Amino acid sequence: MRELIYDNVRIQFLSEEVLRLEVRYGAYFTDRNTLWIPDRGAFEKAGKRLPESQSRSRENQGRQQSLVVREEATQEHSRPQRFLLGDLLLVLPNPKEGLRGLQIFREGKCVYQYERVKINGKLPAPAQTPWIYPLLDVPRILLPEKNCSTSEKKKNILQWDAEDLYLLVCKKDARKLREAYVCLTGRADMLREAVLEDQKIEPCLKQPLRLLKAASDGKSEAETPANGLYTEILKNPERYFQDRKKELPYLDYLEMTECQRETNLKQMLRKPGNGSLLPMLYRNVYESWENGMPICHRLDWEYPQDKKVLLYLQEFMIGDLLVVPEKEKSEIYLPEGLWLYPWTGKVYQGKRCRKLKNQSEQLELYIRLGAVLILAEDTACVKEQSWELLTMDYYPCKECLQDGFLYEDDRETDAYKNGKYRKTYYHTSYDGNQKAYGLSISNAEGDFAGRFAGKRRTLRIRCHELLGERVKQVLINGRKQIFERILKSKEAKVFGTAGAAPDSDVAELVVEHPLSECLHVDFVME
């Protein structure tokens, strides 16, 4: 990590996306972990090092700066300091006065001006993502160090007037912002499948609450930090951090009550007799833990340039499924793409509104064409659900090619934090000359221990014959295969793992897949 010190201001280059500016507190700077920044070494562990050329002060560009600058007492830096950070220009008017007047310019335009605004745990909607997102750690609550005396644990716990600013250079990229935010502020524990079965998909215990619980559990009164507000937080953390319940990295806030959300998700994910969509949901949970991606999200997350989606905030997406949980409005909006209504098989063109003629209790749900839905056999207990047999439901589309992965771990321990998990990637393609849709499945990457860590599985691969297309031939790794065509049935279940589908005829075949091998399936059309 590189840093520069100018009078009362220290500048640290934590990564390519994160810059820290800290004002001296009393007589010192601090590198201790805080409630909001629990692991300052996370960026270094992730291997995100700032290129040497990007961290040069404009006034020191001619010098070699491979060492950390700490000789602040021997230099005078009272005049304005200017730094070039890629295409950004940082201007600090007077380091003696702290961060007052700090500005950052890009192409002559100011993209950030310092304001003392404390963290509230909420991130902007994707369409409102700024070029630079500020995160001011105030009040700064220092976490006790491991090897310190009891008296030191009580010292300087709460610092109301500290100025400790982190600038997340996300360049209006909502995904990059959430990835940097989660890496900086820490990850909440992953939701396990047993929790998902109860539809509790919004983590109620975010990182600060987890840290507070760890700080108070199993410790004597003398060892617990006691300092005014900090003690009150320990007593009632939910009240102090109540705004974090709407934290977007984990679940973009939807304009419906928790009861409505749980009811509709239960209706969609766990209908008796249907295949289970939990493999898809579990992958989303992993991405939420790893990169801060929302488990389910509003339409403007995937379509930030489409301003019309902001008028339909009751709609949301999980993977390639668009869900309309409320029927209070007489119309819905389908964004760009082709959308299948699975109960009838009708395909709708995107970027248009659709009028709802009859208000029914049936969940309004659409599948984005091009999707590959991975389904597991439905069971009474999710913890016992085996993924040795999975169904890959493919809804082909020439204009929308997809890629994704299946995520697996032991489902019980936190070994995933140490890389003990497995991913199997897949992607789709289209060959216009052969009139063939391709589905490529990679060999599994990674490994884990436990009863679910099998070395091979059975795949039931189903291609839905939509938009007037019909499968003529199926090839696996270039070899012709026998397949079964199952005719459409209105009585069939949506997301069924075998048999007929309500939307179209289905070309189905079953293959054995050793997880150490790759698999490529071609569906050649008539």
Side-chain angles (χ1 to χ4, degrees):
M1 180 186 68
R2 296 185 47 74
E3 69 177 42
L4 302 171
I5 298 178
Y6 293 90
D7 284 318
N8 292 325
V9 177
R10 178 172 67 165
I11 304 175
Q12 292 182 314
F13 305 94
L14 301 182
S15 76
E16 295 182 20
E17 292 84 22
V18 181
L19 180 69
R20 181 191 183 195
L21 293 93
E22 179 194 13
V23 177
R24 193 191 309 269
Y25 190 83
Y28 64 89
F29 300 104
T30 182
D31 288 316
R32 286 178 59 178
N33 292 330
T34 70
L35 188 66
W36 281 93
I37 316 297
D39 186 359
R40 299 187 186 281
F43 292 94
E44 186 171 348
K45 293 176 183 177
K48 295 184 176 181
R49 302 304 298 250
L50 186 70
E52 184 75 18
S53 61
Q54 294 188 24
S55 60
R56 302 288 178 86
S57 163
R58 172 174 283 189
E59 296 182 357
N60 297 304
Q61 282 180 356
R63 303 182 190 176
Q64 178 67 27
Q65 295 201 14
S66 59
L67 299 178
V68 175
V69 179
R70 292 189 181 277
E71 295 82 10
E72 72 277 9
T74 64
Q75 303 180 30
E76 289 293 334
H77 297 288
S78 57
R79 63 181 184 275
Q81 301 299 317
R82 302 161 70 87
F83 303 89
L84 278 176
L85 307 170
D87 58 349
L88 300 177
L89 173 63
L90 185 150
V91 179
L92 185 61
N94 190 348
K96 286 188 175 180
E97 296 183 1
L99 303 182
R100 182 184 304 175
L102 170 67
Q103 290 181 306
I104 298 180
F105 296 86
R106 177 179 178 270
E107 298 179 352
K109 182 180 179 181
C110 182
V111 293
Y112 172 72
Q113 184 166 349
Y114 175 69
E115 293 183 74
R116 188 177 171 83
V117 179
K118 64 182 181 179
I119 301 173
N120 65 6
K122 296 173 63 176
L123 295 182
Q128 281 75 49
T129 302
W131 195 271
I132 295 176
Y133 180 80
L135 194 155
L136 186 63
D137 191 0
V138 58
R140 186 165 68 183
I141 303 176
L142 302 180
L143 297 179
E145 296 180 302
K146 292 183 179 179
N147 301 318
C148 63
S149 64
T150 302
S151 60
E152 288 176 329
K153 288 183 179 181
K154 295 183 179 181
K155 186 178 180 180
N156 295 325
I157 291 296
L158 182 62
Q159 299 174 341
W160 274 105
D161 53 347
E163 285 189 284
D164 200 352
L165 176 67
Y166 297 81
L167 298 176
L168 280 56
V169 185
C170 53
K171 302 180 181 180
K172 296 188 176 182
D173 187 330
R175 296 176 183 270
K176 183 179 290 187
L177 170 59
R178 281 151 178 79
E179 182 177 357
Y181 182 91
V182 168
C183 190
L184 183 65
T185 63
R187 296 182 174 94
D189 289 344
M190 262 183 61
L191 297 177
R192 314 312 292 180
E193 288 177 314
V195 178
L196 296 175
E197 182 179 25
D198 295 329
Q199 314 309 321
K200 298 175 182 177
I201 68 171
E202 182 176 7
C204 60
L205 202 64
K206 301 298 191 293
Q207 178 72 6
L209 304 187
R210 184 177 67 81
L211 289 171
L212 285 169
K213 186 176 185 299
S216 58
D217 285 355
K219 294 187 178 182
S220 66
E221 184 176 352
E223 293 176 321
T224 302
N227 193 320
L229 180 62
Y230 196 91
T231 304
E232 293 300 315
I233 295 174
L234 287 176
K235 291 180 180 178
N236 191 0
E238 289 81 6
R239 179 179 179 184
Y240 186 78
F241 291 103
Q242 58 184 341
D243 285 340
R244 289 181 68 86
K245 292 181 180 179
K246 296 180 181 180
E247 189 173 6
L248 294 184
Y250 296 93
L251 177 69
D252 276 355
Y253 183 66
L254 308 174
E255 293 194 345
M256 54 179 161
T257 66
E258 183 178 353
C259 178
Q260 288 172 318
R261 177 163 59 246
E262 291 185 4
T263 299
N264 284 286
L265 288 173
K266 185 173 183 179
Q267 186 179 0
M268 180 182 70
L269 297 171
R270 296 284 297 167
K271 276 191 174 182
N274 285 16
S276 170
L277 287 166
L278 284 174
M280 176 194 70
L281 187 58
Y282 205 41
R283 178 203 63 200
N284 290 3
V285 167
Y286 165 77
E287 289 187 315
S288 175
W289 171 80
E290 175 67 18
N291 298 318
M293 302 299 109
I295 296 173
C296 60
H297 47 272
R298 304 183 324 191
L299 299 186
D300 56 343
W301 173 263
E302 294 197 32
Y303 303 93
Q305 305 305 321
D306 190 345
K307 305 303 180 184
K308 199 164 185 178
V309 300
L310 299 176
L311 302 177
Y312 297 85
L313 296 180
Q314 81 281 8
E315 301 178 18
F316 67 95
M317 295 195 68
I318 301 180
D320 290 298
L321 305 181
L322 187 152
V323 185
V324 185
E326 297 177 356
K327 294 297 189 70
E328 297 178 359
K329 294 188 176 183
S330 59
E331 69 175 26
I332 62 172
Y333 179 71
L334 300 174
E336 184 178 4
L338 295 175
W339 300 90
L340 171 70
Y341 190 61
W343 284 277
T344 63
K346 189 169 182 180
V347 176
Y348 295 90
Q349 181 67 46
K351 299 202 77 172
R352 297 178 184 176
C353 295
R354 184 197 168 196
K355 298 290 184 180
L356 298 179
K357 296 181 180 179
N358 300 317
Q359 300 291 314
S360 66
E361 296 182 358
Q362 181 171 270
L363 183 70
E364 197 76 14
L365 180 147
Y366 297 82
I367 301 172
R368 180 166 50 193
L369 287 199
V372 178
L373 302 182
I374 301 180
L375 309 174
E377 296 295 316
D378 196 19
T379 59
C381 178
V382 172
K383 290 185 69 175
E384 301 300 322
Q385 187 181 74
S386 172
W387 290 4
E388 292 182 356
L389 170 61
L390 291 177
T391 296
M392 299 189 75
D393 239 1
Y394 181 30
Y395 299 83
C397 179
K398 302 173 186 176
E399 293 78 21
C400 187
L401 304 178
Q402 295 278 18
D403 58 76
F405 63 90
L406 171 71
Y407 170 83
E408 301 170 273
D409 60 24
D410 63 19
R411 309 187 190 181
E412 295 176 350
T413 73
D414 59 358
Y416 66 90
K417 296 179 181 178
N418 298 317
K420 299 299 182 182
Y421 53 77
R422 185 168 64 198
K423 292 181 181 179
T424 304
Y425 291 88
Y426 63 85
H427 70 270
T428 61
S429 58
Y430 180 72
D431 186 336
N433 295 327
Q434 301 295 327
K435 298 178 64 175
Y437 291 98
L439 173 60
S440 298
I441 304 168
S442 74
N443 58 301
E445 299 180 9
D447 202 1
F448 61 92
R451 56 197 176 104
F452 298 110
K455 300 302 180 183
R456 60 188 301 118
R457 69 163 48 94
T458 302
L459 291 177
R460 182 184 290 117
I461 303 175
R462 295 156 55 87
C463 179
H464 292 247
E465 299 179 331
L466 301 164
L467 302 176
E469 294 185 307
R470 188 175 177 86
V471 176
K472 177 177 65 174
Q473 189 179 67
V474 178
L475 306 175
I476 293 183
N477 294 338
R479 296 182 179 180
K480 186 176 179 180
Q481 303 291 318
I482 298 176
F483 70 94
E484 180 184 5
R485 174 171 285 108
I486 305 174
L487 299 181
K488 171 182 176 179
S489 172
K490 293 182 179 180
E491 287 72 34
K493 299 287 187 179
V494 174
F495 304 134
T497 57
D503 56 87
S504 65
D505 295 347
V506 174
E508 178 180 296
L509 71 157
V510 179
V511 299
E512 296 297 320
H513 181 217
L515 299 185
S516 60
E517 300 178 6
C518 298
L519 189 68
H520 181 80
V521 184
D522 283 310
F523 294 97
V524 183
M525 298 297 173
E526 293 180 351

